[in-house]
Amino acid sequence: MFTSHDGLCSIGELAERAGVTVKAVRFYSDRGLLPEASRSAGGHRRYGPEALGRLRLVRSLRALGLPVREVHRILDEEDEAGSVLEDAVAGQLRELGSQLKALRWREAGLQLVQECPPGERAGRLALIGALAAPPSTAPLARFWRSWLPARMPARATAAFLEAAVPEPPDDPEPAQALAFARLNAFVTRPCTGAEQPRPEAHRTAGAHGPAVLYAGLARAYELAGTQLRRGREPYAGEELDSFVGAYTSVYGARDTPAFRSRLARQLAADPRIDRYWELVTEVISIPGGPPEPTPGSAHDWLFAALDAQTTAAA
């Protein structure tokens, strides 16, 4: 309780008891966060006993970084479950997480420029400068959307993009940041849709074939990825059968030695985007650790198994 005869206190006394400045109390009052009980004859603000607790709560909420509008909503709509406060804190945590991720990417970019030889700094700056912080995956998604068959169903496209487009790490090592910058440069270099390399299967799969093909390939890549993590050399097994089956299901063919031989020749002649997958591996793998499998490395493992099998049979 305040000691004045009317149980109220001045703005100065309230500020002193709460450990804040008079300017802060006036700021909160002007924005409706701290209602005054009355005004003195001279027009000075007077506050009731409940103002001290409310002011301390406002100060605590502001110390958490909550904007004034959120503090206002919490004070005005506070309920027993505290859902308004929980929502505000959750939103602030999301925003703070995004800011921290951006700062980590900026730090990695600065380290890349600081550590590179002077003759490479201009090129390195151009790579890093082309990225937002944190970087967007939109250019990578656009690259693949222009590469995929035009009649690819939306669900199948989304599944492919999930596997093909790496998420930028929240706390990147400089090498990962450089790989992502190079990946961004790779997909944004001048290249018309007509010049994009496409495999033969895109032209022969028919209306529903692309979705069937990529669903089958996804299963084969997952199986091959397990063997890649184990360090297994390519071999003819369940993984290769699944890989070949993805193509037989699209072409309406039987899995025969002759079909496998034709498929091996076709895949050998298909254009490749090896550099993309090399950079993806650098982005998603922990520096110094074993490389993480990608659809590209899984495809190479499966093709090597197919090529070895058909060569031996010939």
Side-chain angles (χ1 to χ4, degrees):
M1 289 290 293
F2 301 127
T3 57
S4 61
H5 69 279
D6 57 1
L8 304 179
C9 74
S10 67
I11 189 172
E13 184 182 356
L14 178 61
E16 182 179 359
R17 290 206 177 192
V20 300
T21 64
V22 170
K23 183 179 180 180
V25 177
R26 186 176 293 112
F27 175 83
Y28 295 142
S29 295
D30 290 344
R31 279 152 184 79
L33 298 176
L34 193 65
E36 55 198 60
S38 65
R39 293 264 180 156
S40 67
H44 300 294
R45 307 172 198 251
R46 305 282 289 172
Y47 297 91
E50 73 286 348
L52 182 58
R54 187 177 176 94
L55 178 55
R56 286 171 174 164
L57 176 58
V58 170
R59 184 182 62 179
S60 297
L61 294 171
R62 291 287 289 152
L64 291 173
L66 294 175
V68 169
R69 64 180 183 278
E70 290 292 341
V71 175
H72 212 306
R73 192 165 67 92
I74 291 168
L75 295 174
D76 289 348
E77 304 177 23
E78 190 174 16
D79 55 12
E80 293 182 2
S83 61
V84 176
L85 175 59
E86 289 179 6
D87 290 346
V89 170
Q92 191 67 13
L93 284 171
R94 288 192 297 271
E95 182 177 344
L96 184 59
S98 179
Q99 292 172 0
L100 288 173
K101 184 176 179 180
L103 288 173
R104 293 182 186 119
W105 273 88
R106 289 174 185 166
E107 181 183 30
L110 289 169
Q111 289 175 341
L112 287 172
V113 174
Q114 182 183 50
E115 295 168 2
C116 77
E120 298 178 12
R121 282 182 182 158
R124 185 92 28 117
L125 280 169
L127 280 172
I128 300 302
L131 290 179
S136 169
T137 59
L140 280 65
R142 284 195 297 269
F143 171 83
W144 286 114
R145 287 183 186 278
S146 69
W147 181 85
L148 289 168
R151 291 174 290 187
M152 188 90 155
R155 182 177 298 180
T157 297
F160 179 88
L161 292 178
E162 185 177 355
V165 176
E167 282 298 322
D170 290 343
D171 190 4
E173 295 289 334
Q176 290 175 302
L178 180 59
F180 197 93
R182 286 172 171 162
L183 195 60
N184 183 76
F186 179 84
V187 300
T188 55
R189 70 194 191 287
C191 182
T192 66
E195 295 170 340
Q196 285 281 61
R198 290 179 174 84
E200 179 66 24
H202 285 196
R203 293 187 286 273
T204 59
H208 304 290
V212 175
L213 174 63
Y214 282 103
L217 289 177
R219 288 190 291 271
Y221 293 162
E222 184 177 358
L223 292 171
T226 300
Q227 301 307 324
L228 280 165
R229 290 188 179 93
R230 294 173 179 170
R232 292 285 304 274
E233 292 296 323
Y235 68 96
E238 176 189 4
E239 299 80 11
L240 181 57
D241 291 343
S242 179
F243 181 64
V244 174
Y247 288 94
T248 58
S249 63
V250 171
Y251 296 143
R254 292 174 54 239
D255 183 357
T256 64
F259 178 84
R260 292 194 176 209
S261 180
R262 289 195 302 272
L263 179 61
R265 290 194 299 271
Q266 174 190 314
L267 295 178
D270 274 343
R272 305 177 64 85
I273 315 179
D274 291 336
R275 182 56 177 159
Y276 180 92
W277 297 116
E278 291 169 0
L279 292 169
V280 169
T281 299
E282 294 180 37
V283 171
I284 66 176
S285 299
I286 299 174
E292 278 293 311
T294 66
S297 61
H299 183 91
D300 288 346
W301 190 95
L302 291 162
F303 172 69
L306 177 64
D307 185 56
Q309 183 188 57
T310 55
T311 299

